[in-house]
Structures are given as C-alpha cells and as structure tokens.
Amino acid sequence: MKILNEGAYSNIALDNALSSVNLKDDDKALATELVYGTLKRLVTIDDMIGRNSTTPMKKIEDRVLGILRMSVYQLKYLDRIPDYAIVSDAVELAREWNPRVSGFVNAVLRSISRDDTVPRFRSKLEKMAYEESFPLWMVMHFSRNYKSRTLEILEGLNERPAVTYRVNTLRITREDALTELQKDGFSAEPTAVSPFGIIISGGGSVAANRLFSEGFLTVQDESSMLAAPLLEPVEGGTYLDLCSAPGGKATHIAELSGDRARVLAYDIYEAKIRTIMENAARLKLKGIEAGLHDAGEPMPEFFGIGSVLLDAPCSGLGIIRKKPDIKHTKTQEELDGLPELQRRLMDVAKLYVKTGGSLVYSTCTLNPSENEDNVRWFLENNPDFEAKRIQLGDHPNLIYSEEGFVTVLPSGTMDGFFLSKLVRRTSKS
Ligand SMILES: C[S@@+](CC[C@H](N)C(=O)[O-])C[C@H]1O[C@@H](n2cnc3c(N)ncnc32)[C@H](O)[C@@H]1O
C-alpha cells in the first residue's frame, strides 16, 4: 500500500517492513516474492479483480485490495500453495481487519480461481499490455520507439534479475575470483559482455563471503559495468562523476586507474554521499573524493580539468526488473519533463571536459528522448564535441546507433541502459 499509494520505493518499503518483524529466511523470501511479483503482474491482477468483483475497484478499501492482489498473484502465478489454502488465508486476514469484508474476499477469490477467460483485446498492444502486465501507455511507448523489439523488452523487464558482481581487478583477477568462489561452493560464471563481471546463481550469501567483505567484489548490474571503461581512466587523470551515488561507477573509475587518479564523486543527496564513501572504503580505494553538489550548478574551479561521467537522473524504465513499482509510478508526463533537466546537466558537464577529454552520458532508461535525442541535441549545439563510436562486440542485447551510441536491451544479467561517449576535439581534429 505504501508503494502504490504513498510513492514509497519498493526496495526501501520492503526492507523496512521485513526488518520490523521476526521472520525466518524462507518466509522473508516468500514475502519478497509476493511484493515484487504482485507489483510486476499488477495490471493483469487488477483486470481479473475488476472482472470478478461486484464492487467497483475504486470502492474497495486499500487494505482489502492489497489482500486480494497478493492472493490473486499466488493463485495465478505461483504453484507452491494450493488454491483453497490461499483463499482461506486471505479470508482469515480480511476477517481480522474487518469481519464484514471476509465474505466479499472469499467470493472474489473463488470466482478468480475458477476463471480462465481472457478479456477481448482491441489491438495487439492491448493484448501485450495484459499478458505482460504493463500499463498500455508504456507498451505504446516501447512500440513507438523500439518497434519489433517491444515484446522482447517487455519480457526482459519481467525477468528475475541475475545477481552480478564486479571484480575489483586491483585486488584479484576475474579468473582467480571465479576459482575462489567456486571453491567456496558458489555457482559462478563470467558475464558475457563486461570483462569485469561475475554471475552468481547459487551457493549462499555472497555478502558473508571474504571476497565481498574484503573489497574484491561490488554488487553491480552488468550494463552498469560498461560505463566507466569508456572514460579509459589513467594514472594521474581527473574524473568527475556528477551523479554518482551509491558510487558503483565512481569506484569502477578509480579501480581502472589503478587507484592513481582523482575521482570527484558528487550527488545531490547528503545521505547518499555516505554510501559512496562506505563503498570506496570497503574497496580500499583512496582516490575518491565524495561531496554534495547539484550537477546543475557549475563549479568554475574544475573547468577544463579532465573527463566526466554524467549518469543522469532518468525515468528508469530499464530497471523495472529490479523496481517493478516503476510500472505504476511513472507517467508519460514525467518522461516528457526529463530531457530539459538532462540537457541542463549536460550543458554544465561539458564545462569540465578538457581538450581530448570525454563526456560519457548514460541513463538506465529506454526512452530515446532521454537518450539519443539528448546526445544529438548536444552535438548539434556543441561542434567542439564529436561522438566516439562505442564497441562492445556483438551480443543480442546490444543495439548500436549510426553514431555508435549503445542501447542495452534488458534481460538476464543486464538492465535496460544507454551509453554514449562524446569527446572534446583537439584543434587538429
Ligand atoms: C542513476 S543514479 C546514479 C548511479 C551511480 N552513477 C552509480 O553508478 O552508482 C542518479 C543519481 O543522480 C542523483 N541526482 C539527481 N539529481 C541530481 C543533481 N541535480 N545533481 C547531482 N546528483 C543528482 C541521484 O541522487 C542519484 O543518486
């Protein structure tokens, strides 16, 4: 309820709720599955409730609706608990809340458990929205912009994300990290596109493993591991990461420079600065200077000083696998408002780039207005910058634009992501 009605972030609301009760690990895992699964399939679930309830959805009390939604998720998408037990638990929960609604909950859930009908669809996109459980406007957005790859995107965003770690190559090679993890009983394999990633698919808690606690590994999505190498960090260089919390890419820049570069890592939220410092400390990196700063405000003392990563605030449509609430909290209007902010940040970011230096612009969204259109606008208005072709090899998730920008489609180990590299020309180029 907090996530859908009060705009709380799913991961934070769930962590808070789970830490306030005493549950066994298995029960915590089930609670997590129920919350994320229900958020992921909510469009379809609500359609089913709407068709099987005599009370209009808008008139169902929030708490009762919450019980119905989670129960329908279990009835239609999980097979570990028999239907009668799901219905009886829901009725009991509803009765504890308000005895007068238990009959209603019973009737709706029994009707849904018997109901295998699907609604009539007026278009292919409506069918996709129902089957993949996305708001119709979002399916139309993907279809308009990514054409024949729409279904692949929707399916990718519904996948359970793999758990990936970046190897701190200052401390250990990927091969040695893999060998050690396998020795410790983990199922671990290398990521396909990034040369720094490891996928761990089983074997217990990595957080409790020496490799993690001693700073050999960082939790990071494989797509995010592709940004820092584009800056080609070197010893003695200066790099600004303007939107850097929690520091995933800033720490990568430091590692790639052999921790011999100056990495200025800023964010607009005070509390997040601490997270950057904690991550840098765990990885034993000394070159990171984290600070509070609004990327929209120029810092003249750093003009022309080095290279810049602008991992911009964005609509986040690429990370729906990890934050399914984005399906329900974002609106087309919100997407439309973001390019203005992102362009303002790009206009400031360019000021720090030295001749021959780079501006890497990235987002974790699938929206050309926040991605390619922004970068094309920037190039048109800044003839002293040129696009540098990004080459990450062939992989079905990667789409290269004519200019060499990269869109990563979501699936498996990769969030939906966008990467571009802009270089400030030298006078000869
Ligand atoms: C996509 S996240 C960055 C992730 C980070 N680069 C990493 O790899 O760990 C975007 C960040 O931008 C920050 N942010 C949003 N608006 C900002 C602004 N005007 N100035 C600086 N940071 C901002 C947010 O707090 C958020 O931490």
Side-chain angles (χ1 to χ4, degrees):
M1 276 181 347
K2 276 205 156 85
I3 298 166
L4 291 171
N5 302 345
E6 296 166 31
Y9 291 118
S10 51
N11 51 344
I12 298 171
L14 186 63
D15 279 353
N16 288 345
L18 290 179
S19 55
S20 66
V21 288
N22 198 4
L23 288 181
K24 285 193 288 204
D25 282 353
D26 279 359
D27 292 335
K28 276 190 183 167
L30 179 62
T32 306
E33 165 75 44
L34 288 185
V35 170
Y36 279 96
T38 303
L39 286 170
K40 198 194 285 182
R41 297 292 173 181
L42 195 64
V43 170
T44 322
I45 289 171
D46 278 1
D47 188 276
M48 290 177 187
I49 296 174
R51 283 187 285 123
N52 286 277
S53 161
T54 45
T55 306
M57 289 279 282
K58 284 210 172 94
K59 294 211 165 143
I60 303 176
E61 277 176 276
D62 284 347
R63 193 174 285 253
V64 176
L65 191 55
I67 294 171
L68 286 174
R69 283 168 163 167
M70 289 215 189
S71 307
V72 175
Y73 177 66
Q74 294 181 77
L75 287 172
K76 295 295 178 184
Y77 295 100
L78 295 185
D79 48 18
R80 1 187 155 149
I81 306 170
D83 285 9
Y84 72 85
I86 297 167
V87 177
S88 131
D89 281 355
V91 168
E92 201 43 51
L93 257 179
R95 183 172 297 127
E96 278 171 26
W97 162 246
N98 175 357
R100 279 179 305 151
V101 295
S102 58
F104 168 71
V105 166
N106 186 40
V108 174
L109 291 180
R110 280 184 186 284
S111 168
I112 291 177
S113 77
R114 288 190 300 261
D115 180 9
D116 284 326
T117 55
V118 281
R120 280 179 173 277
F121 303 111
R122 277 167 300 186
S123 68
K124 231 170 81 182
L125 296 187
E126 257 193 16
K127 183 168 187 282
M128 270 191 219
Y130 176 83
E131 288 176 350
E132 299 302 324
S133 214
F134 278 78
L136 183 59
W137 77 264
M138 221 180 252
V139 177
M140 289 166 73
H141 161 84
F142 289 131
S143 165
R144 217 170 29 250
N145 293 300
Y146 300 94
K147 313 275 187 261
S148 63
R149 306 204 71 170
T150 302
L151 183 58
E152 189 184 338
I153 291 175
L154 302 179
E155 287 174 347
L157 291 174
N158 278 338
E159 271 185 26
R160 187 187 296 267
V163 186
T164 52
Y165 291 83
R166 187 186 80 230
V167 176
N168 180 356
T169 46
L170 274 182
R171 314 277 309 280
I172 192 168
T173 63
R174 177 161 76 166
E175 288 64 39
D176 289 348
L178 280 165
T179 310
E180 290 217 16
L181 286 164
Q182 283 153 359
K183 253 196 260 156
D184 290 344
F186 291 97
S187 308
E189 55 180 313
T191 47
V193 181
S194 166
F196 302 101
I198 285 184
I199 309 160
I200 298 188
S201 50
S205 159
V206 181
N209 187 272
R210 182 186 74 85
L211 285 190
F212 184 80
S213 59
E214 292 181 14
F216 292 67
L217 298 175
T218 297
V219 180
Q220 192 173 42
D221 184 85
E222 186 180 5
S223 297
S224 288
M225 293 176 205
L226 305 173
L230 298 178
L231 289 168
E232 301 176 51
V234 292
E235 178 176 344
T238 300
Y239 302 91
L240 285 95
D241 181 355
L242 297 176
C243 300
S244 79
K249 299 179 190 76
T251 51
H252 199 189
I253 297 171
E255 288 167 11
L256 294 172
S257 74
D259 201 18
R260 287 170 192 274
R262 187 173 183 208
V263 182
L264 303 165
Y266 295 106
D267 204 274
I268 200 168
Y269 297 111
E270 179 89 57
K272 292 190 177 184
I273 308 298
R274 235 172 298 128
T275 323
I276 304 174
M277 293 312 289
E278 283 162 12
N279 280 326
R282 189 181 57 81
L283 293 165
K284 302 190 171 40
L285 297 168
K286 304 210 163 43
I288 295 185
E289 299 165 38
L292 188 64
H293 186 75
D294 178 344
E297 298 295 326
M299 296 179 280
E301 67 275 31
F302 297 134
F303 285 179
I305 200 173
S307 288
V308 177
L309 172 63
L310 180 59
D311 190 29
C314 68
S315 54
L317 300 188
I319 55 170
I320 284 177
R321 296 180 315 155
K322 290 175 187 144
K323 294 187 179 168
D325 38 317
I326 290 176
K327 284 186 180 181
H328 317 293
T329 52
K330 294 289 163 197
T331 59
Q332 181 69 60
E333 291 71 46
E334 206 177 331
L335 262 62
D336 294 344
L338 282 161
E340 191 186 330
L341 164 72
Q342 291 151 345
R343 290 178 185 197
R344 198 155 49 78
L345 301 187
M346 290 175 100
D347 255 343
V348 174
K350 73 181 180 201
L351 302 170
Y352 309 123
V353 181
K354 67 178 182 188
T355 304
S358 307
L359 167 59
V360 168
Y361 175 80
S362 59
T363 73
C364 58
T365 200
L366 296 169
N367 178 16
S369 322
E370 296 176 65
N371 297 340
E372 322 46 346
D373 294 356
N374 272 349
V375 183
R376 288 182 186 132
W377 164 86
F378 180 87
L379 288 169
E380 260 168 45
N381 289 285
N382 294 282
D384 50 335
F385 278 83
E386 62 188 345
K388 176 94 192 284
R389 228 160 226 297
I390 298 174
Q391 276 161 347
L392 298 166
D394 283 336
H395 186 278
N397 287 35
L398 302 179
I399 304 176
Y400 291 91
S401 76
E402 249 172 58
E403 304 93 327
F405 314 146
V406 174
T407 298
V408 183
L409 296 188
S411 77
T413 57
M414 305 182 96
D415 284 333
F417 209 77
F418 173 79
L419 293 154
S420 62
K421 175 168 176 167
L422 311 167
V423 176
R424 191 188 275 280
R425 297 174 202 269
T426 56
S427 50
K428 281 179 253 134
S429 57

